[in-house]
Amino acid sequence: EERIKEQVCCKCNPCTTRSPEFLAIVTNREVLVTVARRTLEWRADVQPVVVPNNLLRKAGYRQFIAWRYNYLGRGNRKCPPSCVVWAVRQKYPSSSGSYMGFDGLNCD
């Protein structure tokens, strides 16, 4: 059931993923590298020379949620619609073809 909830499109006409704002905020490599590096700084992690696609995907999802819903508060999470997930995955694919998904999140 969780996977089915994950597969819901934004239902906007036209789709959110076609907007210039989406491209600039959610899939722009320079923006996502900055977001990923900033997140690593907060966590005191080692900064990679090249930010891997898995971190760019997570940054893209984070950017979409921030753009769409603003700040949700600590511990509150939302799943991006499937059209967003697939747009981000297409731009920043996994070399193995395997993705984590959003298990444990309320994807309503």
Side-chain angles (χ1 to χ4, degrees):
E1 183 177 311
E2 200 65 35
R3 290 279 171 228
I4 293 169
K5 289 179 182 178
E6 239 180 70
Q7 297 170 4
V8 177
C9 183
C10 68
K11 299 179 184 158
C12 296
N13 189 12
C15 181
T16 299
T17 61
R18 306 238 187 270
S19 76
E21 294 87 355
F22 178 86
L23 298 175
I25 296 168
V26 181
T27 61
N28 180 285
R29 179 174 289 278
E30 289 77 21
V31 169
L32 298 184
V33 165
T34 301
V35 170
R37 288 188 186 281
R38 187 73 174 134
T39 301
L40 291 172
E41 283 177 17
W42 289 332
R43 295 182 181 165
D45 288 342
V46 175
Q47 294 283 327
V49 175
V50 176
V51 177
N53 279 358
N54 68 315
L55 294 182
L56 295 176
R57 285 191 305 275
K58 288 179 183 180
Y61 305 144
R62 185 173 286 130
Q63 284 291 97
F64 174 78
I65 297 300
W67 172 51
R68 178 76 167 80
Y69 302 105
N70 295 313
Y71 180 69
L72 296 177
R74 186 179 185 97
N76 295 316
R77 303 285 182 261
K78 287 203 175 263
C79 290
S82 65
C83 52
V84 170
V85 172
W86 286 107
V88 172
R89 286 179 179 178
Q90 183 177 23
K91 182 93 176 185
Y92 304 105
S94 165
S95 58
S96 69
S98 179
Y99 298 93
M100 285 180 55
F102 298 94
D103 290 334
L105 292 183
N106 181 7
C107 293
D108 295 342

